[in-house]
């Protein structure tokens, strides 16, 4: 008796769902975009966003475009159509897009990329069309596409067997719409957000589409304090709470994590039946949030922070005395973007198209500066230098096989065809057929180039050990050292005079 009953019940369920109602098949293509209009309660402005000053500065300009498009079009300037916000989750991309709409006082259409990708072929693309139609009627306005990577995945990467037809159609429609509207008379600016820019189809990033990219990164110490200040306004704080100290203890936290932290602390205070949130609540909340965060992103413990600090200062000290014109601009141990635990930023002081042998060797030594500092200070090596080693080895290999810089192997190109310039991140080509001995000689030369860079870095760091320790301590304290104060200190780096700097002749013997 039971099976038929179930069958009937299920059947009725489907009839009830499918029959009539606003959710019927006819409305399926209509855009589900949520519209926020100016004046709505809880309007977001730039005051609600902190710790991402560079991104904010870029977006202030977008607000100007929306407010006074004539100022730009009268000059004959084209207003940008697409701006891509790139950054890890929870750094405030959605919040900033809303703030742009709030500041400009224009409607804000928001839709998430994953909502586009639906069951039936053709739905996604008609939804894109609807969205743009609606937006054009309300121009000037903002369309915000969250999780752009869900539709914008590179068509090439979607696999050998043609990939996902539906997504491709949706993407094509999006490209058509973006090309279609003329920024001259209707100001519709498309903002989009992604945390995986590398997967996006290159067609999306072409001029006239998302040709502006704004990096929304995790906040540094000052930024975290500012964000805590914003969110702490919503809770009753005890006077004893020191937000700066909390900011110091939360490197790697994104804005959303900090907002969550403040809320956790308030919940803990409520559990204690306290009328105010105390420092101890924050301390406990940090532990809870960190435990949850560790899987999501990198929050360094104190020991790791120390290692990263020495590692980065190692790069900076060696980089400061190497030939060539790149200047060390910034050292940071705020886990940055999606790859690095810390970073040392070297900026060229002029455009360079040629590098000589000495400079390339200097680059190899600089790349090894991080690992050498770890060896020198901690006597052991971590996994943190793998990318440095990769780059140093690639560079050494290019010196030997592409630029003919090895005395042993001579001015021969061991690769077929012209390898694109390494300064532009070229890909390796296939090797020419070579003898076993030559292959061995190449390996040896590459190894000796990298190893001598390593020795050179070690020598410099040994000579400047006091400065290394001093700078690392400063870095642990401040998380970021940059600009003139950094340059001033790096001037003190001494180049060892005892002939430890490796001469060309030694290269093949090290
Ligand atoms: P994303 O879109 O980058 O993943 P959201 O904009 O959705 O991040 O951020 C979620 C919440 O976290 C925001 O609503 C806000 O409360 C908080 N938040 C994130 N970043 C910031 C920031 N830079 N300043 C202030 N609050 C922030
Ligand atoms: Mg978001
Ligand atoms: Zn490094």
């Amino acid at each position: 008796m039971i099976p038929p009953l179930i069958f009937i019940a299920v059947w009725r369920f489907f009839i009830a769902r499918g029959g009539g109602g606003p959710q019927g098949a006819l409305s399926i293509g209509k855009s589900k975009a949520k519209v926020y209009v100016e004046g709505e309660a809880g309007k977001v402005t730039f005051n609600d966003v902190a710790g991402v000053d560079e991104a904010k500065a870029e977006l202030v300009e977008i607000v100007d475009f929306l407010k006074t498009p004539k100022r730009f079009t009268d000059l004959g300037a084209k207003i940008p159509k697409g701006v891509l916000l790139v950054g890890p989750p929870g750094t405030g991309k959605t919040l900033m897009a809303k703030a742009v709409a709030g500041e400009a006082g224009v409607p804000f259409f928001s839709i998430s990329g994953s909502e586009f990708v639906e069951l039936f072929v053709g739905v996604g693309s008609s939804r894109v069309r609807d969205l743009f139609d609606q937006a054009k009627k309300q121009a000037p306005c903002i369309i915000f596409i969250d999780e752009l990577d869900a539709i914008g995945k590179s068509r090439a990467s979607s696999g050998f067997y043609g990939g996902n037809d539906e997504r491709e159609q949706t993407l094509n429609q999006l490209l058509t719409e973006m090309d279609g509207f003329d920024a001259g008379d209707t100001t519709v600016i498309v903002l989009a957000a992604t945390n995986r820019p590398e997967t996006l189809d290159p067609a999306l990033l072409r001029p006239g589409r998302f040709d502006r990219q704004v990096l929304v990164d995790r906040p540094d110490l000052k930024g975290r304090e500012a964000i805590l200040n914003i969110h702490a306004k919503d809770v009753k704080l005890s006077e004893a709470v020191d937000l700066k100290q909390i900011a110091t203890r939360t490197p790697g936290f994104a804005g959303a994590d900090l907002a969550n932290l403040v809320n956790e602390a308030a919940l803990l205070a409520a559990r204690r039946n306290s009328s105010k949130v105390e420092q101890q609540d924050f301390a406990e909340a940090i532990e809870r949030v960190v435990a949850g965060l560790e899987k999501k992103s990198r929050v360094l413990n104190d020991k790791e922070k120390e290692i990263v600090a020495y590692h980065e200062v190692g790069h900076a000290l060696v980089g400061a005395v190497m030939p060539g014109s790149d200047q060390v601009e910034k050292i940071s141990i705020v886990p940055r973007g999606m790859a690095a635990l810390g970073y040392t930023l070297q900026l060229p002081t002029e455009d360079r198209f040629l590098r000589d042998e000495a400079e390339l060797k200097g680059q190899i030594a600089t790349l090894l500066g991080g690992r050498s500092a770890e060896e020198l200070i901690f006597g052991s090596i971590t996994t943190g230098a793998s990318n440095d080693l990769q780059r140093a080895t690639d560079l050494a290999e290019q010196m030997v096989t592409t630029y003919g810089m090895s005395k042993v192997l001579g001015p021969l190109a061991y690769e077929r065809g012209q390898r694109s310039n390494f300064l532009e991140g070229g890909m390796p080509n296939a090797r020419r057929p070579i003898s076993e001995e030559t292959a061995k000689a190449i390996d040896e030369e590459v190894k000796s180039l990298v190893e001598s860079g390593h020795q050179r870095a070690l020598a410099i760091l040994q000579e400047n050990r006091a400065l290394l320790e001093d700078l690392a301590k400063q870095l642990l304290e401040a998380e970021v050292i940059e600009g003139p104060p950094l340059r001033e200190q790096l001037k003190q780096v001494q180049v060892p005079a005892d002939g430890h700097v490796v001469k060309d002749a030694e290269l093949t013997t090290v």
Side-chain angles (χ1 to χ4, degrees):
M1 278 302 287
I2 292 168
L5 265 182
I6 291 176
F7 184 73
I8 287 165
V10 171
W11 181 244
R12 288 184 61 113
F13 175 75
F14 274 113
I15 291 178
R17 267 196 57 177
Q23 283 300 75
L26 280 179
S27 66
I28 211 158
K30 284 277 172 267
S31 144
K32 276 196 204 152
K34 295 170 227 106
V35 188
Y36 302 86
V37 187
E38 185 216 358
E40 223 175 84
K43 177 178 141 179
V44 180
T45 67
F46 281 142
N47 288 334
D48 298 312
V49 192
V52 278
D53 296 335
E54 295 143 55
K56 235 160 129 178
E58 288 269 343
L59 292 176
V60 164
E61 203 184 1
I62 303 295
V63 172
D64 284 344
F65 288 142
L66 286 162
K67 270 187 169 160
T68 52
K70 255 183 81 60
R71 225 181 79 210
F72 299 91
T73 49
D74 281 357
L75 272 169
K78 284 216 178 64
I79 288 175
K81 288 181 192 167
V83 179
L84 185 61
L85 304 171
V86 179
T91 45
K93 298 181 292 297
T94 309
L95 189 68
M96 289 234 274
K98 283 185 187 161
V100 171
E103 292 279 339
V106 300
F108 177 79
F109 294 82
S110 133
I111 194 158
S112 167
S114 55
E115 289 168 44
F116 276 120
V117 183
E118 297 231 341
L119 223 48
F120 307 107
V121 175
V123 175
S125 51
S126 78
R127 205 165 261 179
V128 172
R129 207 162 34 235
D130 281 345
L131 178 61
F132 277 79
D133 283 348
Q134 272 189 50
K136 271 182 254 177
K137 280 184 207 134
Q138 302 224 27
C141 70
I142 289 176
I143 295 177
F144 177 58
I145 306 176
D146 214 346
E147 300 173 51
L148 181 67
D149 42 282
I151 34 173
K153 264 203 212 100
S154 164
R155 280 169 284 198
S157 79
S158 50
F160 189 66
Y161 295 105
N164 182 332
D165 239 10
E166 167 62 3
R167 202 188 56 225
E168 209 161 287
Q169 283 191 20
T170 309
L171 174 59
N172 283 337
Q173 188 66 34
L174 180 64
L175 296 178
T176 313
E177 293 289 346
M178 287 196 75
D179 291 343
F181 69 81
D182 182 7
D185 32 55
T186 52
T187 317
V188 179
I189 293 186
V190 187
L191 297 181
T194 181
N195 47 18
R196 294 158 63 205
E198 70 286 351
T199 65
L200 290 182
D201 198 295
L204 273 170
L205 307 177
R206 276 220 291 273
R209 292 164 182 170
F210 293 104
D211 48 5
R212 288 197 169 202
Q213 296 198 19
V214 175
L215 181 68
V216 188
D217 217 329
R218 293 204 180 91
D220 62 6
L221 180 63
K222 270 194 219 130
R224 291 197 300 275
E225 192 182 347
I227 295 172
L228 283 170
N229 264 309
I230 291 176
H231 292 285
K233 284 198 195 98
D234 305 334
V235 300
K236 283 211 183 79
L237 281 193
S238 141
E239 293 82 44
V241 170
D242 180 359
L243 289 180
K244 172 144 193 242
Q245 200 218 338
I246 298 164
T248 316
R249 295 188 45 194
T250 48
F253 275 44
D257 304 321
L258 292 168
N260 182 22
L261 175 70
V262 173
N263 191 50
E264 279 288 330
L267 290 175
L268 287 168
R271 188 180 296 170
R272 287 191 302 117
N273 280 325
S274 163
S275 61
K276 282 181 177 160
V277 186
E278 300 283 348
Q279 191 81 0
Q280 84 183 63
D281 298 317
F282 277 102
E284 206 178 323
I286 289 176
E287 274 170 34
R288 292 182 167 218
V289 175
V290 167
L293 270 179
E294 256 162 9
K295 285 170 230 108
K296 271 197 294 172
S297 68
R298 294 167 299 259
V299 176
L300 302 179
N301 67 31
D302 286 347
K303 182 71 193 168
E304 287 170 329
K305 245 174 99 171
E306 202 185 340
I307 294 172
V308 175
Y310 277 100
H311 179 107
E312 296 306 331
V313 174
H315 282 308
L317 291 191
V318 178
V321 289
M322 286 298 127
S325 53
D326 288 359
Q327 218 166 38
V328 180
E329 261 309 311
K330 182 172 180 177
I331 327 175
S332 160
I333 52 168
V334 182
R336 177 93 175 171
M338 282 144 270
L341 299 175
Y343 62 97
T344 303
L345 185 66
Q346 268 185 305
L347 289 181
T349 44
E350 60 189 344
D351 277 0
R352 296 291 306 271
F353 302 100
L354 289 174
R355 299 269 173 184
D356 65 27
E357 196 179 341
E359 284 175 298
L360 295 185
K361 284 179 186 162
Q363 283 189 7
I364 293 177
T366 308
L367 283 166
L368 279 139
R371 175 194 151 117
S372 303
E374 289 182 36
E375 274 173 67
L376 198 65
I377 300 293
F378 302 100
S380 68
I381 305 159
T382 63
T383 52
S386 63
N387 179 259
D388 296 337
L389 300 186
Q390 186 78 50
R391 283 164 57 197
T393 314
D394 282 352
L395 196 52
E397 188 182 331
Q398 289 191 21
M399 288 174 70
V400 176
T401 63
T402 312
Y403 304 128
M405 288 175 177
S406 155
K407 297 213 169 62
V408 177
L409 290 148
L412 267 73
Y414 290 92
E415 276 164 8
R416 265 189 201 291
Q418 177 81 43
R419 189 209 280 249
S420 42
N421 196 327
F422 82 93
L423 294 169
E424 284 132 38
M427 293 284 286
N429 289 326
R431 284 261 165 92
R432 247 172 239 293
I434 48 174
S435 71
E436 216 169 287
E437 292 88 75
T438 308
K440 213 168 143 213
I442 290 177
D443 289 344
E444 273 164 14
E445 278 291 281
V446 170
K447 184 168 170 219
S448 89
L449 272 173
V450 175
E451 184 51 36
S452 59
H454 181 203
Q455 294 305 330
R456 200 171 168 190
L458 274 174
I460 290 169
L461 294 176
Q462 236 150 15
E463 180 84 15
N464 298 279
R465 187 167 175 142
L467 185 60
L468 171 66
E469 298 198 2
D470 185 30
L471 269 173
K473 291 209 174 85
Q474 288 178 40
L475 189 57
L476 277 168
E477 188 76 11
E479 293 187 356
V480 178
I481 314 180
E482 60 187 327
L486 175 64
R487 261 175 266 145
E488 216 41 56
Q489 301 194 65
L490 288 179
K491 275 191 199 142
Q492 301 166 22
V493 182
Q494 302 292 321
V495 182
D498 59 347
H500 230 332
V501 173
V502 181
K503 307 231 168 49
D504 281 353
E506 291 176 56
L507 274 183
T508 48
T509 57
V510 174

